[in-house]
Amino acid sequence: MVDPNWELKNCCQHEQVVFLVTIGVFTLVILALWRTFLLTPFKLITVFLHEVSHAIACKLTCGQVEGIQVHANEGGVTLTRGGIYWLILPAGYLGSSFWGMVLVLASTKLLTARIAAGFLILALLIVFFIAKNWTLRGLCIGFIVFIAIVWVLQELTKVRILRYVILFIGVMNSLFSVYDIYDDLISRRVNSSDAEKFAELCPCPCNGAAWGVIWGMISFIFLSASIYLGLVILS
């Protein structure tokens, strides 16, 4: 068994260069198309992962998930009952950042990209049946079909782009999570935001904007860690 190359000695080899360049290109494409309708489905999948993270935190703390909604205006809501509220609240923003990191790392190998695609399809199927609106149901159906087509092309043709699709979703998720934290919690100070609610529960003197900064820093750490660990995996 080869020890991990934590020091990144002899970086960067061909696969590592491709990994870095691809992330850079995807980042530029995402920023260039940020306000266009072309990215809307990928923004909505980030909102989906945000709400699913709330739901997972609720279930892990013995609560009940009563429904999930994702709206066309890139908003969403998870209806919960019980559970530990101060763990459920930050799980949305931090969870979506975490899933972005997982997807970026999964894209480094074909096997892990297949596993990530399978888990995405499974999560979309589960959420389809508890979705409370047709925007979310349509998103689930659309991405199940999209991922399935990419997977079939990967296995049966020379169009082998599954790893790149998983990487794109991961990069998009990471960038949108950081932007969403800034837009919702720092620049606009939405009074009903998760951070404002969390600030009311937390005994420390931080307000919602301060928690937004803290969560934003954690999300950026997830993004940086995904790049570093990806390079380690590929070394």
Side-chain angles (χ1 to χ4, degrees), residues 22 26 30 42 45 49 99-100 102-110 112-114 116-117 120-121 124 142-154 159-173:
T22 304
F26 283 169
I30 289 167
F42 295 96
I45 203 69
L49 290 171
W99 294 123
V102 169
L103 291 172
V104 169
L105 295 179
S107 73
T108 57
K109 303 290 182 182
L110 180 56
T112 49
R114 287 173 175 144
L120 267 176
I121 290 174
L124 289 162
F143 263 89
I144 287 171
V145 172
F146 172 66
I147 295 171
I149 290 173
V150 171
W151 202 338
V152 169
L153 291 174
Q154 173 73 37
V159 183
R160 296 170 181 171
I161 59 172
L162 180 62
R163 287 176 58 193
Y164 295 102
V165 169
I166 295 298
L167 178 58
F168 184 85
I169 295 174
V171 172
M172 178 70 204
N173 209 76

Side-chain angles (χ1 to χ4, degrees), residues 3-77:
D3 292 331
N5 181 16
W6 299 114
E7 297 84 9
L8 292 177
K9 295 177 181 177
N10 301 318
C11 183
C12 292
Q13 299 173 15
H14 176 71
E15 285 193 342
Q16 293 171 312
V17 172
V18 171
F19 177 69
L20 290 174
V21 170
T22 304
I23 289 177
V25 170
F26 283 169
T27 300
L28 291 175
V29 169
I30 289 167
L31 293 177
L33 300 178
W34 189 261
R35 298 193 181 279
T36 70
F37 71 94
L38 296 174
L39 287 185
T40 298
F42 295 96
K43 289 181 178 180
L44 293 181
I45 203 69
T46 300
V47 177
F48 161 80
L49 290 171
H50 175 115
E51 301 305 332
V52 166
S53 298
H54 280 309
I56 291 172
C58 177
K59 296 299 290 184
L60 289 177
T61 56
C62 303
Q64 182 68 35
V65 179
E66 298 185 340
I68 297 176
Q69 297 180 22
V70 170
H71 303 295
N73 65 354
E74 300 167 19
V77 62

